[in-house]
Amino acid sequence: VIDGRQPLDRAIAAPRLHAGMAGQIQIENSRYEPHVLEALEGAGFTIKKRGAYSFYQGCVQAVQLPTRPKEQFFGVADPRRDGGAVGPDL
């Protein structure tokens, strides 16, 4: 949202990877371009492929604060899981 200047919903739905084990990266396979996988493997990582929007890749429910007076909170639920996110009514 901040660094990538993306809307909250797009940032939460973006492809994910998990690099929890030394030398291994788990990715949402079909959501990355082949050249990204090739670069990771070329750098010595072992790639474990997960499905698109994999449940394994975690879950984010977020509420974005208003930036202007009288603007509403903006809630976004992760498409990888059930759930919802809302802010209070103003």
Side-chain angles (χ1 to χ4, degrees), residues 6 9-17 27-37 40 49-55 57-58 78-80:
Q6 291 184 337
D9 54 341
R10 208 166 131 207
I12 289 175
R16 293 196 187 146
L17 61 83
I27 64 159
E28 292 179 317
N29 182 42
S30 63
R31 302 192 64 216
Y32 281 91
E33 297 292 327
H35 72 276
V36 174
L37 304 181
L40 290 169
K49 298 173 181 175
R50 299 277 181 178
Y53 299 97
S54 173
F55 188 85
Q57 298 297 91
D78 197 318
R80 292 164 188 85

Side-chain angles (χ1 to χ4, degrees), residues 13-73:
R16 293 196 187 146
L17 61 83
H18 175 70
M21 292 189 271
Q24 184 181 70
I25 295 179
Q26 299 191 39
I27 64 159
E28 292 179 317
N29 182 42
S30 63
R31 302 192 64 216
Y32 281 91
E33 297 292 327
H35 72 276
V36 174
L37 304 181
E38 291 167 10
L40 290 169
E41 289 172 332
F45 291 100
T46 301
I47 306 295
K48 181 167 184 170
K49 298 173 181 175
R50 299 277 181 178
Y53 299 97
S54 173
F55 188 85
Y56 178 83
Q57 298 297 91
C59 180
V60 177
Q61 313 297 356
V63 176
Q64 189 169 8
L65 299 172
T67 57
R68 297 184 188 109
K70 299 190 181 190
E71 190 175 56
Q72 294 295 311
F73 286 82

